[in-house]
Amino acid sequence: MGPDTRIPSFVHHRTRLTEGQQHAWDTLWPVYGGDVADVDRLEGLDGPVGPVVLEIGSGNGEATALMAAAEPDRRHVAVEVYEPGLAHLLIRLRELGLENLRLLRGDAVDLLERAVPERSLEGVRIFFPDPWPKRRHHKRRLVQPDFVALAASRLRPGGWLHLATDWQHYADQMLAVCSACPALRPDPAMDPWLPRPDSRPLTKFEQRAVREGRAIRDLRYYA
């Protein structure tokens, strides 16, 4: 899955930051943030030593901050391209006094391919990735066979891949792709979906999806 042939799963739109977000960016990004392109090896990031959980597409970071606060013994790395979301996460990081969370801006696939050693991650989280709902855009979806094989190769033995989506068609694709990966085995609790785990915070986005009639599907697989 080389960078020259891969179709990006995201579109990067530059958006102005609010005054509060800009202040957080100016003061906290140099300490807690960085660009994927500047990371040679994930262990090189400053921060406490511990099992590393990588979150791909942290959005506005609300769930990310709560998970990092609830799991102080884990080292959390959030990768996102949406700068206002990263700035909002920096604000929550400061409010909660988190020291086990680092933020990266850029392409998570590039990070996995180039800077994450094999069998090194405790977990990978992908919550509500862009569903690219139009059929002609399905090829842009992140969860494809090559990506899942790459993510699985970066999990240490017993490490996990946790996905969630509110789009049934994408959930079915996730289930088929992950189940076909020989390096992964499904969580025994999946039948075929995983009951919503308490470890995944309930966000306003998810509450809105439920109000609009979209079921939330969780999947978890182990290396």
Side-chain angles (χ1 to χ4, degrees), residues 150-176:
L150 172 64
S153 73
R154 270 44 178 177
L155 295 174
R156 68 187 192 182
W160 43 265
L161 172 64
H162 184 182
L163 308 103
T165 183
D166 59 324
W167 286 83
Q168 185 63 50
H169 186 274
Y170 200 2
D172 292 337
Q173 177 176 325
M174 290 175 173
L175 181 66

Side-chain angles (χ1 to χ4, degrees), residues 127-142:
F127 295 159
F128 305 102
D130 193 329
W132 293 102
K134 294 181 179 179
R135 180 180 294 275
R136 69 177 183 273
H137 292 155
H138 286 180
K139 61 188 176 183
R140 288 187 173 273
R141 288 176 172 174
L142 176 64

Side-chain angles (χ1 to χ4, degrees), residues 10-213:
F10 59 88
V11 176
H12 188 189
H13 297 292
R14 286 205 172 270
T15 306
R16 290 188 62 182
L17 304 180
T18 66
E19 184 177 347
Q21 290 172 344
Q22 188 65 58
H23 177 70
W25 190 273
D26 293 341
T27 58
L28 299 177
W29 182 257
V31 181
Y32 298 101
D35 287 321
V36 166
D38 296 331
V39 178
D40 294 325
R41 190 174 174 88
L42 192 60
E43 289 94 335
L45 295 174
D46 293 333
V49 176
V52 177
V53 174
L54 179 69
E55 181 176 4
I56 298 176
S58 51
N60 73 0
E62 197 62 38
T64 305
L66 293 174
M67 289 185 291
E71 302 167 343
D73 295 332
R74 283 177 172 162
R75 186 168 152 223
H76 297 256
V77 179
V79 185
E80 177 59 64
V81 297
Y82 184 57
E83 287 158 11
L86 289 167
H88 182 77
L89 180 51
L90 287 170
I91 294 172
R92 294 293 284 138
L93 179 152
R94 179 179 57 199
E95 291 173 345
L96 296 173
L98 301 175
E99 291 295 336
N100 62 331
L101 174 62
R102 295 296 179 270
L103 286 59
L104 291 175
R105 174 179 54 184
D107 187 347
V109 177
D110 176 46
L111 181 75
L112 285 169
E113 288 180 330
R114 186 179 47 76
V116 178
E118 292 186 0
R119 301 162 66 90
S120 64
L121 299 176
E122 180 185 24
V124 174
R125 288 177 171 135
I126 308 171
F127 295 159
F128 305 102
D130 193 329
W132 293 102
K134 294 181 179 179
R135 180 180 294 275
R136 69 177 183 273
H137 292 155
H138 286 180
K139 61 188 176 183
R140 288 187 173 273
R141 288 176 172 174
L142 176 64
V143 182
Q144 308 278 0
D146 285 350
F147 168 78
V148 169
L150 172 64
S153 73
R154 270 44 178 177
L155 295 174
R156 68 187 192 182
W160 43 265
L161 172 64
H162 184 182
L163 308 103
T165 183
D166 59 324
W167 286 83
Q168 185 63 50
H169 186 274
Y170 200 2
D172 292 337
Q173 177 176 325
M174 290 175 173
L175 181 66
V177 170
C178 292
S179 297
C181 179
L184 295 174
R185 53 187 171 83
D187 189 305
M190 284 174 51
D191 186 30
W193 315 109
L194 183 73
R196 186 184 180 282
D198 294 335
S199 60
R200 184 172 62 73
L202 182 63
T203 63
K204 292 180 181 179
F205 170 86
E206 183 174 347
Q207 291 172 332
R208 184 178 71 236
V210 172
R211 287 197 304 270
E212 294 174 356

